[in-house]
Amino acid sequence: MSSTLPLFPPSASTVAQDVDLLFFFILAVSAFFAVLVSVLILYFTFKYRAKTPGAAGADIHGSLTLELIWTGIPFILAMVMFVWGAQLFFTLSKPPADAMDVFVVGKQWMWKVQHPDGVREINELHVPVGRPVRITLGSEDVIHDYYIPAFRVKMDAVPGKLTTMWFTATKTGSYHIFCAEYCGTQHSGMIGQVIVMEPHDYEAWLAGGRSTGTAVENGEKLFTTLACITCHKTDSSGRGPILAGVFGSTVDLQDGRQVVADENYLRESIMNPQAKVVRSYQPIMPTFQGTVSEENLLQLIAYIKTLKVAAPAAAPQGGQ
Ligand code: CUA
């Protein structure tokens, strides 16, 4: 419906219609009450004006029925908005399990993109139509915000952590990307295009791109060149925890806490290893802050995620 309105961006994702519907519902409720209140004010101003000089209004002692009505109706309307909005929010927060992973790093003032097979691009994002895409977002410097109006999705890129967003494009074509968080003098120029392609066109585009190795391959190389491998061995002889099977597992920490080893945990453990030390290990790991870029970090995490426990034994203790 919205694509015919000139002020509206096109609708090109599976959630676009749902977001618009909620938006128009809230807009309609707000407009209805704004008009109702304004009209009543004008009408009562006229109706209850002082008809003779010095006239006094009648005393009003309240009405329980009226108070129940004007409390009950807004309450129900607010709850409808809340439940509806929360459902949509949960949908937007949970990427489908079969989503393809794309890494995006914001940097003053550009968007750097890496596809699963290693093809990179800047300020453009090529995606196949009809396939869920999960974007893992990082930032090299300040807070940016990856915003694709046509898909009705938007997520902050925050230095020091990883955030995710997802979408399934429904129409081929090219759509705007904006940075939606003021990030310095060239903020308004931090823009780009999403190019939604037919799956075979996307494959052809990928094949034509120059891949410098997949994220996992690059991560594996870094794991050796940064010497992670000297402490994180595949058996328990290492000075650091075994990393196989760590991703998604629950890790016992030295201070008694337990954490789930998600992407942000792995990120923190590389950049600030003393923050969450795994139980029965020493806090000896050096920080890689400043040594490892956000892109390298995403590659390392992609590699660590692939490390699986070989034997069907219980998952070992998690990584530091
Ligand atoms: Cu990046 Cu605004």
Side-chain angles (χ1 to χ4, degrees):
M1 77 197 271
S2 52
S3 53
T4 52
L5 293 174
L7 283 179
F8 250 76
S11 300
S13 81
T14 47
V15 296
Q17 298 288 338
D18 298 338
V19 173
D20 288 353
L21 218 55
L22 176 61
F23 172 75
F24 283 115
F25 172 73
I26 294 175
L27 186 68
V29 170
S30 311
F32 172 79
F33 283 103
V35 170
L36 181 73
V37 170
S38 312
V39 167
L40 285 179
I41 288 174
L42 289 174
Y43 173 68
F44 290 147
T45 310
F46 175 77
K47 184 173 180 196
Y48 296 112
R49 70 193 187 280
K51 288 174 184 126
T52 53
D59 270 357
I60 294 171
H61 296 283
S63 156
L64 183 65
T65 321
L66 262 182
E67 296 213 15
L68 284 176
I69 292 172
W70 74 47
T71 309
I73 292 176
F75 175 74
I76 292 167
L77 284 171
M79 282 299 122
V80 169
M81 289 175 193
F82 169 69
V83 172
W84 189 351
Q87 273 176 347
L88 205 50
F89 176 80
F90 290 138
T91 307
L92 286 167
S93 330
K94 278 198 203 120
D98 61 340
M100 93 185 209
D101 265 309
V102 175
F103 300 142
V104 176
V105 174
K107 173 180 191 287
Q108 284 171 325
W109 287 276
M110 64 177 83
W111 296 108
K112 298 200 280 184
V113 176
Q114 185 175 4
H115 289 262
D117 76 335
V119 172
R120 293 146 185 273
E121 49 185 338
I122 286 178
N123 292 344
E124 285 194 341
L125 171 65
H126 290 73
V127 291
V129 71
R131 177 148 170 219
V133 177
R134 174 178 183 266
I135 306 245
T136 303
L137 266 177
S139 167
E140 290 275 2
D141 36 45
V142 299
I143 303 180
H144 303 276
D145 188 301
Y146 203 58
Y147 180 30
I148 309 172
F151 297 168
R152 310 291 189 272
V153 291
K154 188 165 169 236
M155 182 49 77
D156 277 355
V158 184
K161 68 180 275 193
L162 299 172
T163 51
T164 55
M165 67 191 249
W166 76 275
F167 56 80
T168 304
T170 51
K171 264 186 235 164
T172 55
S174 76
Y175 307 99
H176 290 292
I177 299 169
F178 295 116
C179 178
E181 181 71 48
Y182 182 69
C183 56
T185 46
Q186 297 297 313
H187 158 69
S188 62
M190 195 168 164
I191 54 176
Q193 296 280 323
V194 190
I195 293 124
V196 182
M197 312 170 97
E198 292 296 342
H200 59 269
D201 291 338
Y202 174 71
E203 292 306 326
W205 175 83
L206 273 185
R210 262 180 307 130
S211 171
T212 47
T214 67
V216 174
E217 285 164 6
N218 284 323
E220 189 173 6
K221 267 182 233 156
L222 285 167
F223 200 75
T224 309
T225 53
L226 294 169
C228 313
I229 201 164
T230 56
C231 291
H232 295 284
K233 298 192 171 164
T234 48
D235 57 39
S236 54
S237 70
R239 288 184 296 167
I242 300 166
L243 295 183
V246 65
F247 183 73
S249 70
T250 303
V251 178
D252 291 310
L253 301 183
Q254 222 168 40
D255 56 13
R257 282 182 300 162
Q258 284 195 322
V259 289
V260 173
D262 58 7
E263 284 154 338
N264 269 311
Y265 168 79
L266 295 180
R267 188 193 183 287
E268 183 184 52
S269 296
I270 297 167
M271 296 309 234
N272 182 14
Q274 316 305 331
K276 297 193 175 82
V277 178
V278 178
R279 201 175 60 197
S280 68
Y281 285 92
Q282 294 302 309
I284 49 168
M285 177 166 157
T287 172
F288 285 83
Q289 194 106 44
T291 316
V292 174
S293 71
E294 280 305 312
E295 278 173 293
N296 291 345
L297 199 61
L298 286 165
Q299 293 164 344
L300 272 172
I301 292 172
Y303 171 64
I304 293 170
K305 280 165 80 169
T306 63
L307 300 174
K308 296 278 170 354
V309 193
Q317 283 214 57
Q320 177 171 296

